[in-house]
Amino acid sequence: MSTGQKRSGELWVLMLARRLGFGRNPLRRRSDRIEMAVLWCALMAALLLVPIGAAVGTSYRTAGDASAERQRVSLHEVRARTLESTEGQVPATPGNVLTRVQISYIDPSGLQRQGSTNVVIGTKADAEVTAWLNQAGDIVAAPRSRGDNAAVGSWVGILVVAGSWLLLWGAVRLARVPLDRRRAHDWAAEWLDVAPRWLRGQK
C-alpha cells in the first residue's frame, strides 16, 4: 500500500469518526453532542433488544409446548370417519385450508357418537381422521404441535423486537425536539452577534 493510499484511508476513518460524534470539532454544539449520545444509546438498546426478543419468543414456545403436553395427558386421541365430503369446496377466506365436517367416532366408554371437527378441504367422505376428546367424550380442539408453537414463538419474538424498535424511534424523535429548538435559538443568538460585524465589513 502506497503512502498516499494509507493517508487517504486514515482521513476517511477520521471523517467517519467525526460524523459518529468522536473527536474534537469546534462547530459541534452541546446539543449536537447530546443528540449523538442519545443516538448511540438508542442503537445499543436496539441491539440488546434482539436477544431479549429471542428469549421472549423461546419462553412463549416453551410455555406452549408445556401446555400442549398437559392437554395430551388429559385428552383422548381417537380415530374417526368423516360423514360428508369436502371435495369441490372453496376456502371461506384466502389461505384457510380447513373446514368443519360431521364425523363419527367411538368415545372412551365405547359409545358410537357423532360430532364435528376441522379437516383439510378436499377430504373425501368415509376418510379416516384424528379427533381429540375430553373426559366427557366431547370433541375439543387438538393440542398445538411443536412446530406451531415454534412458529408462534418466533412471531412473538419478532413483534417484541419490532415494537420496541418503534418505541425507541419515537423516543429519539421526541428527544430531538427540544434539541432542535435549542440549536435554532443558539443560531439566532449568534447571528444577532455576527450580523452587525459582517454587514459593517461589507461596506
Side-chain angles (χ1 to χ4, degrees), residues 56-70 144 149:
V56 171
T58 301
S59 298
Y60 192 92
R61 182 193 64 188
T62 302
D65 288 341
S67 176
E69 192 61 32
R70 287 193 298 269
R144 187 177 290 169
N149 286 327

Side-chain angles (χ1 to χ4, degrees), residues 120-161:
V120 178
I121 293 177
T123 302
K124 298 180 180 180
D126 199 36
E128 188 178 65
V129 295
T130 300
W132 288 85
L133 312 178
N134 59 17
Q135 298 296 331
D138 299 322
I139 298 175
V140 295
R144 187 177 290 169
S145 67
R146 290 184 176 273
D148 290 341
N149 286 327
V152 173
S154 298
W155 275 110
V156 168
I158 291 172
L159 290 176
V160 167
V161 174

Side-chain angles (χ1 to χ4, degrees), residues 46-114:
L47 293 176
L48 289 174
L49 284 169
V50 175
I52 292 175
V56 171
T58 301
S59 298
Y60 192 92
R61 182 193 64 188
T62 302
D65 288 341
S67 176
E69 192 61 32
R70 287 193 298 269
Q71 287 180 324
R72 290 187 182 94
V73 172
S74 61
L75 301 179
H76 299 280
E77 182 182 10
V78 297
R79 307 303 295 175
R81 292 281 177 180
T82 56
L83 300 178
E84 51 189 328
S85 174
T86 62
E87 293 180 300
Q89 287 191 15
V90 179
T93 57
N96 184 15
V97 297
L98 299 178
T99 185
R100 294 193 72 82
V101 297
Q102 289 291 317
I103 61 172
S104 174
Y105 64 96
I106 298 176
D107 67 12
S109 63
L111 295 177
Q112 183 81 26
R113 299 180 60 177
Q114 292 184 5

Side-chain angles (χ1 to χ4, degrees), residues 193-203:
D193 180 54
V194 173
R197 290 180 290 170
W198 182 77
L199 292 175
R200 286 197 299 268
Q202 295 295 317
K203 294 180 180 179

